[in-house]
Amino acid sequence: MGIPVKRLTVLYDAQCPLCVHLRHWLLRQRQLVPLDLVPAASQEARRRFPDLDHESTLREITVIGDRGQVYRSTAAWIVCLWALAEHRPRAHWLSTPAGAPFAKVTVLAAAKYREMTAAPCEGRCEVPAPPG
C-alpha cells in the first residue's frame, strides 16, 4: 500500500499573469493537503529540488509530492484539485477515462491563453546557472 501524500509543492511561473492568478485562487481554497506555492526556477525551487529540470518547470506546471512524486501538465492540475476540499470529487472524475478529455482540453486552453497573454521571455525565462 502506498504512503499518502501529506504536502504538495506547486511550481508556477511567477512572470505569467494566469499562473499568478491561479496561485492566488489556490491559496483561497480550503486545502485537504497543504500546498506550498513556489516560483518555478527560483532559488527556493532549486534549493528544494536540486535534481529537477527547472527549465521545464517554466514551460508547464509541475507539482512535487512530499515523497518525491512529480506531476506535470494535466496530472499536476488534477493533483492540485485533489488537494482542495471542494474540488476533490472533480479531480477524481477528471482522472477517469470519461473526465480525462476535459482535463486535457482545459490544460491546453490555459496554455494557449498563457501564450497569448504572458510577456515574451526574451531570455529571462531561462534558468540561471546555480551559483558556483
Side-chain angles (χ1 to χ4, degrees):
M1 182 178 277
I3 299 170
V5 175
K6 294 182 181 171
R7 183 169 219 91
L8 294 164
T9 300
V10 180
L11 300 178
Y12 70 96
D13 183 351
Q15 302 301 316
C16 166
L18 176 61
C19 303
V20 172
H21 172 78
L22 291 170
R23 173 196 182 272
H24 293 303
W25 180 82
L26 287 169
L27 290 172
R28 289 191 308 267
Q29 305 304 304
R30 190 166 64 88
Q31 300 173 4
L32 297 173
V33 175
L35 298 174
D36 296 329
L37 290 110
V38 175
S42 65
Q43 286 185 327
E44 179 63 15
R46 286 194 303 275
R47 183 190 68 75
R48 289 183 184 206
F49 311 107
D51 297 330
L52 192 64
D53 175 4
H54 290 279
E55 188 171 333
S56 72
T57 67
L58 288 168
R59 290 189 300 273
E60 65 183 348
I61 183 174
T62 304
V63 177
I64 297 112
D66 58 350
R67 304 286 182 194
Q69 313 91 320
V70 178
Y71 308 91
R72 297 183 190 276
S73 192
T74 306
W77 283 114
I78 291 172
V79 80
C80 284
L81 292 174
W82 173 83
L84 305 175
E86 291 182 35
H87 299 283
R88 185 169 277 186
R90 175 70 38 109
H92 284 296
W93 181 76
L94 290 170
S95 65
T96 68
F102 293 96
K104 184 174 183 175
V105 166
T106 301
V107 170
L108 290 173
K112 185 65 175 173
Y113 179 83
R114 179 178 181 230
E115 178 184 308
M116 292 170 47
T117 60
C121 284
E122 297 173 354
R124 71 174 161 70
C125 294
E126 295 181 18
V127 178

